[in-house]
Amino acid sequence: MAHIVVIGGGPYGGTVANRLQKTGAKITLISRSEKALLLPAMIRLPFHKDPSRVSVELKDILNPNIELMIDQVVNVDESQVDLGAHDPVSFDRLVIATGAVWDDPIAPHKYQQNGIQEYAKEVAGLGEKANNIVLVGGGALGVELAGEYAYHFPKKSITLIHSEKKLLDASAIDKVRDSVESQLRGLKVKLILGKKAEIRGQSVFVDGEEVPCDYLIKTTGPKANPPVSSIKGLVNEKNEIIISSKFQAECNPKIYAIGDVTNYPKRGLVSRENWLSIITHNLNEDIKGTSNYRTVDWPKQGVKSKSTFAVSVGPEGGAGQYILPFGCAFSLPRFAVVKAKSSTLFYSKLNSMFI
């Protein structure tokens, strides 16, 4: 019987493990935490402080036949995973789905170290004590966090600094970018666009002038979080696992990877189902010894292709777009984005995401 080891128990790793049960292989999932975390829902944790709305117990969502090991990976080589408290685990195929490292207030690595309840109290306290909250980076995360802080703390000064003249990036159509700007201004968020922020410790400067700030939030994007590995050529200069369009590591076809830990240019959960379908299909083909592999479309280097997505602007606002075949895009109505994402940030679908 083939042995497939999955590292990472989030919405990618946990779902891959469950679906691979159909291959007939032995499945082992290794996670640092007993809980699976829904990252998009973390932006609201500082306000409701309820761990049940951002996480679920892995034992409750995994197939009972899956071996679950809670431990820290200390090294991955060509044939086994070394752990901190358990014996090494050998594998025939390996799936890495360890995601990315983010800054406060959505830092999963801190929650795993300190416990999610304590982390919730910590990040909540930072926002509650501050009078001038400054966010640097106006991508999707910056927009969503600015919307949350402005909605929940209407009397505080919220400033969002973005180096581009429009919020989000070129993957969003102008109508969506204009909509989130208008909604944030409606929530009294101070927007500084087309300017680069200079950060000195906890102080922020724009054009040489200091921006009032007693709570700085960096929303300039995540950093890939691969496990420690002695495999040469596994990661690139950004520490991302280098994969092919089959989700196989370029350096070793026995190793697969998916999600923010890879160098695949697209991010988010909208295309998640397609990516999961491809990686589980390819692993099944691999185990059977057949080669009817599927591939994911790979965007051209340097080109920001339009993609379907939705961004919240507080619990009652948001904007999004849907991409039709042949690349045609149209904006989603605000009420649809609120219903689909902003009101709950997907936490109501947390359990079903792992099927």
Side-chain angles (χ1 to χ4, degrees):
M1 178 187 294
H3 186 195
I4 302 175
V5 174
V6 180
I7 304 176
Y12 282 109
T15 309
V16 167
N18 276 335
R19 294 187 182 184
L20 287 174
Q21 277 291 296
K22 298 176 183 178
T23 65
K26 177 185 176 182
I27 310 298
T28 299
L29 187 141
I30 301 169
S31 173
R32 290 192 302 178
S33 171
E34 296 176 349
K35 295 180 182 291
L37 184 71
L38 180 61
L39 201 60
M42 285 287 286
I43 65 166
R44 207 160 286 163
L45 183 64
F47 311 103
H48 59 61
K49 310 180 190 71
D50 182 359
S52 69
R53 294 170 68 175
V54 299
S55 63
V56 64
E57 295 284 343
L58 277 171
K59 63 181 177 59
D60 293 335
I61 53 92
L62 290 179
N63 185 297
N65 294 322
I66 294 172
E67 179 185 24
L68 174 61
M69 302 182 72
I70 307 301
D71 206 342
Q72 177 74 36
V73 174
V74 296
N75 186 59
V76 175
D77 65 23
E78 304 281 356
S79 61
Q80 71 178 29
V81 179
D82 296 330
L83 301 172
H86 293 83
D87 291 335
V89 180
S90 60
F91 60 82
D92 296 298
R93 297 294 182 272
L94 176 68
V95 180
I96 301 174
T98 46
V101 174
W102 298 73
D103 290 314
D104 288 330
I106 57 165
H109 61 291
K110 290 188 178 180
Y111 129 69
Q112 289 165 341
Q113 292 169 358
N114 305 328
I116 194 165
Q117 191 70 62
E118 288 303 312
Y119 181 66
K121 291 179 182 178
E122 177 188 339
V123 294
L126 291 171
E128 290 166 357
K129 294 174 184 176
N131 293 312
N132 299 287
I133 300 172
V134 176
L135 301 97
V136 177
L141 177 60
V143 166
E144 293 195 332
L145 278 172
E148 293 295 325
Y149 278 100
Y151 179 89
H152 291 281
F153 297 132
K155 295 183 179 180
K156 296 181 185 289
S157 171
I158 314 296
T159 302
L160 176 59
I161 305 170
H162 190 47
S163 59
E164 296 185 28
K165 293 183 178 180
K166 286 181 178 287
L167 293 167
L168 304 177
D169 61 27
S171 64
I173 60 177
D174 283 344
K175 192 170 182 179
V176 171
R177 302 177 85 174
D178 293 340
S179 176
V180 296
E181 178 179 338
S182 174
Q183 290 180 57
L184 286 175
R185 291 191 188 280
L187 290 170
K188 309 303 182 186
V189 175
K190 299 175 184 177
L191 298 177
I192 301 176
L193 303 178
K195 303 281 187 179
K196 288 190 176 182
E198 180 186 354
I199 299 174
R200 306 175 194 169
Q202 292 299 304
S203 300
V204 183
F205 296 81
V206 174
D207 291 339
E209 294 188 10
E210 186 170 3
V211 179
C213 174
D214 47 22
Y215 181 28
L216 170 62
I217 302 174
K218 299 174 185 177
T219 52
T220 50
K223 298 177 179 63
N225 184 39
V228 176
S229 175
S230 56
I231 301 173
K232 292 183 178 180
L234 182 65
V235 299
N236 61 16
E237 68 282 356
K238 295 180 180 179
N239 214 29
E240 301 164 332
I241 295 177
I242 307 168
I243 61 169
S244 70
S245 58
K246 300 174 186 176
F247 289 107
Q248 289 175 310
E250 290 281 10
C251 66
N252 188 334
K254 291 170 54 179
I255 298 173
Y256 292 72
I258 188 171
D260 289 352
V261 72
T262 74
N263 67 325
Y264 184 64
K266 292 187 177 181
R267 296 288 187 264
L269 294 175
V270 172
S271 299
R272 172 178 170 272
E273 183 56 40
N274 179 46
W275 301 339
L276 286 167
S277 175
I278 292 171
I279 193 172
T280 52
H281 170 85
N282 290 348
L283 276 158
N284 191 40
E285 290 290 306
D286 199 357
I287 293 298
K288 291 190 302 182
T290 51
S291 56
N292 184 27
Y293 291 113
R294 296 175 185 169
T295 59
V296 65
D297 291 333
W298 201 283
K300 293 181 180 179
Q301 188 172 4
V303 176
K304 279 283 187 181
S305 59
K306 299 291 188 284
S307 58
T308 297
F309 78 95
V311 58
S312 66
V313 185
E316 299 176 1
Q321 63 192 38
Y322 185 81
I323 308 302
L324 296 168
F326 311 111
C328 297
F330 68 88
S331 61
L332 298 170
R334 177 172 170 172
F335 77 86
V337 176
V338 171
K339 183 177 181 180
K341 180 179 182 181
S342 304
S343 59
T344 69
L345 296 178
F346 301 131
Y347 83 85
S348 59
K349 302 177 182 178
L350 185 54
N351 286 338
S352 62
M353 291 182 73
F354 292 85
I355 298 173

